[in-house]
Amino acid sequence: MTFSSPTATESTWQEIVYRIANNIRLRVLEHTLKNNGGYMSQACSAAELFAALYTKIMKIGPSEAPMVPPPFLGVPASDNPHYQTGRGYNGPIAANLDRFIFSPAHYALVLYTVLIEVGRMSPEGLAQFNQDGSSVEMIGAEHSPGCELTNGSLAQAISQAVGIALARRIKGDSGRVFVMMSDGEFQEGQTWEALESMVHYKLDNMIVYVDVNGQCCDGKMCDVLNIEPLKPRMEAFGARVFVVDAHDADALAAPAEVEPDGRPVIVLCYSDPTRGLPLLNTRAPKLHYLRFVSEDERETYRNEYEKMLVELKGS
Amino acid sequence: MEILSKIHARNLVEWAKDRPEVLVLSADLTSSTEADLFQKAYPERFFSFGLAEQNMMSAAGGLAREGFLPFIHTFAVFIYRRAYDQLVDSVAYPNLPVRMVGFLPGITTPGGITHQAIEDVALMRAVPNMTILEVGDATEIESVLDVTLDISGPIYLRMLRGEVPRLFAKNEPLKFNQARVLSQGTDITLFSSGICTEEAMRAMAILKQRGVSIQHMHISTLKPFSDPAVLEASAQARMGVITMENHTIVGGLGSAVAEIMADNGIGKKLKRIGLKDTFAHGASRAYLMREYELDALALVQAVEEMVGHELDITETDLQTVRLEAVHSIAKAEAL
Ligand SMILES: Cc1ncc(C[n+]2csc(CCOP(=O)(O)OP(=O)(O)O)c2C)c(N)n1
């Protein structure tokens, strides 16, 4: 199986986003089939978002990290000079460049996949996923490719990003701080505390993209613990909120173009957690983790995979 | 060895049947913490709080003040790390009967440092009014809820889920503040807890064969820690005492044993097997147990050091490891 990477001959950036997004879904499904488990609905909902962030929205430089991620080199400690975060995959730190803060750590599989699709990590990296001794962890930690913070305990990254954004303002950086979050993180009080401080300190150098797929572990967010209506709630906090279709490349990119006005920007990307793989709907309302209950079920998904493969090649 | 799955899920339903005051509070990890069958059986006694653990903890305090018995179900880390302030002020200080059922103890999950509860016992031991129970097998999962009935204050329960072996006879339930004697001996006294007991048992036969006489006791009540049998066994060990826990060596079982030994003037050597004041990372349980020296082989090494010579024991001499499947039908995720 071959996956093409973006080339100069592509006609538009939107086409690149859509092709990468489809490849993300395909690759995550392939991984899930091979490993009998994976975070599939997250790929379905956030594929265009990740693709657009990496190819269009964020101003980041080329990767500084090895194509094949190094093994896990021990935990951070004063006597461990080898420890490295996975930040290098998002390019160098520079005053004029953006920073990418990846928050929902269980979306790591999707993050690793986009890194592959945009040429920042080799497919061998994904083969190390959740393998003993690997840094390509199932729940991304700060040594995992594309990560620079540890956020497996959800809703801490946005506050850490507040610190980073404040620091960038003190330093006079023109680059912004992008945070990618899941909607489940808005059940945590800490997220709202972060919003308070972002508004209070007028952190308009922060832009938060939220994958609003309406899902959490136990099923639909509205049944588990409702957080809607998000937009008016956030606006009441003083944030500048945009509601977009998470599968529309133009809509995703537009809010990043607005002139800063003192308010932090939140982009609520309303998504379909079964996008590109409608078969997932048979598992509703619980879509959080896809593990096949039988060989038959796996076979159904394998057939779907074959179909997706043909479609992608044909396009 | 008999392996059972989803023991807590089924047991909780049965146990709560005629106890209408028992409520379950969940933080969006209902299947992952085996509270799903309870939710199905008694939907009116199940409360979904979403991933908002601090609020859930204080709300549990409120329910307990009104005479209910709230059983919080989430991963252990989200109980004691995320909601520590709340559990101290809203639950422990007023000495309320909130039951905190914490899953994924120590390195039992590949979820990495954010999911591995490696210092929970240390923190919980430091909280006044707290009772700490930890299960080591299927029999203890089946019997631990009965033990909670006689405890009027808050309880932190270090729980196991998924596929769990039966190490102890079904008719020998967990007894509050009583160590379980697994083997008798005079050279070394070994205290183990949680999943480390299964590991220790793997090495027992060969150690005995090599002539080391070990008093092996399984600990399931970590606080209070005042079983006279523990003190007695520490005092009688000819060479010294070893502790073995799926936790950092700071503040857990090893420290509890050190405290009672020092308090009672028992001047014996103590070796603590556990995470050596380090965080871990995401990998399989077997891999992490070897890497951080929490396994049967680590026990053999500790025994060798204590007896002062090598015992010529290799991996193959140890009873086979029970390898947990990453993707088991008994677990909601691969966590
Ligand atoms: C503080 C905290 N509580 C609970 C969890 C366990 N957990 C992992 S993912 C998740 C919720 C998933 O919802 P969302 O983040 O919206 O992601 P999605 O369902 O779309 O995958 C939960 C509760 C966690 N990681 N952190």
Side-chain angles (χ1 to χ4, degrees), chain B residues 193-243:
Chain B
S193 56
I195 61 163
C196 282
T197 293
E198 183 187 355
E199 274 302 311
M201 288 167 87
R202 290 177 55 211
M204 280 305 148
I206 186 77
L207 284 168
K208 190 171 180 188
Q209 213 176 306
R210 292 288 191 275
V212 190
S213 166
I214 297 181
Q215 172 86 14
H216 182 194
M217 295 167 88
H218 169 73
I219 303 290
S220 41
T221 305
L222 289 155
K223 193 185 180 191
F225 199 69
S226 53
D227 179 3
V230 169
L231 187 58
E232 209 175 289
S234 312
Q236 63 139 53
R238 207 165 52 80
M239 294 168 175
V241 177
I242 298 176
T243 58

Side-chain angles (χ1 to χ4, degrees), chain A residues 205-231:
Chain A
N205 60 344
M206 277 187 84
I207 172 160
V208 181
Y209 275 86
V210 190
D211 176 22
V212 191
N213 63 10
Q215 282 286 320
C216 53
C217 294
D218 282 1
K220 283 165 74 170
M221 300 258 302
C222 56
D223 298 328
V224 174
L225 188 78
N226 182 41
I227 54 165
E228 292 286 4
L230 279 174
K231 184 170 190 268

Side-chain angles (χ1 to χ4, degrees), chain A residues 35-39 72 75-76 105-106 130-134 137-141 143 150-156 184-185 187-190 193 216-219 223-225 286 288-293, chain B residues 26-32 36 39 46 48-54 78 82 109-115 278-288 291-292 326-335:
Chain A
N35 295 277
N36 191 26
Y39 293 92
F72 175 68
V75 295
H106 63 286
N130 199 25
Q131 296 297 306
D132 289 339
S134 149
E137 292 195 19
M138 176 169 62
I139 305 297
H143 43 260
T150 294
N151 198 55
S153 177
L154 293 169
Q156 297 188 27
E185 295 186 275
Q187 290 178 335
E188 285 285 357
Q190 179 165 1
E193 295 174 25
C216 53
C217 294
D218 282 1
D223 298 328
V224 174
L225 188 78
K286 287 199 181 179
H288 182 70
Y289 191 78
L290 174 58
R291 189 196 38 233
F292 309 109
V293 290
Chain B
S26 172
D28 191 31
L29 286 170
T30 304
S31 323
S32 295
D36 46 349
Q39 178 185 20
F46 174 88
S48 165
F49 275 83
L51 65 136
E53 296 81 3
Q54 299 170 326
F78 304 134
R82 196 75 181 206
T109 171
I113 76 111
T114 56
H115 286 60
T278 178
F279 290 107
H281 60 110
S284 69
R285 166 176 158 174
Y287 179 89
L288 293 172
E291 180 182 10
Y292 291 103
V326 172
H327 291 281
S328 135
I329 220 75
K331 294 193 293 182
E333 286 178 73
L335 279 173

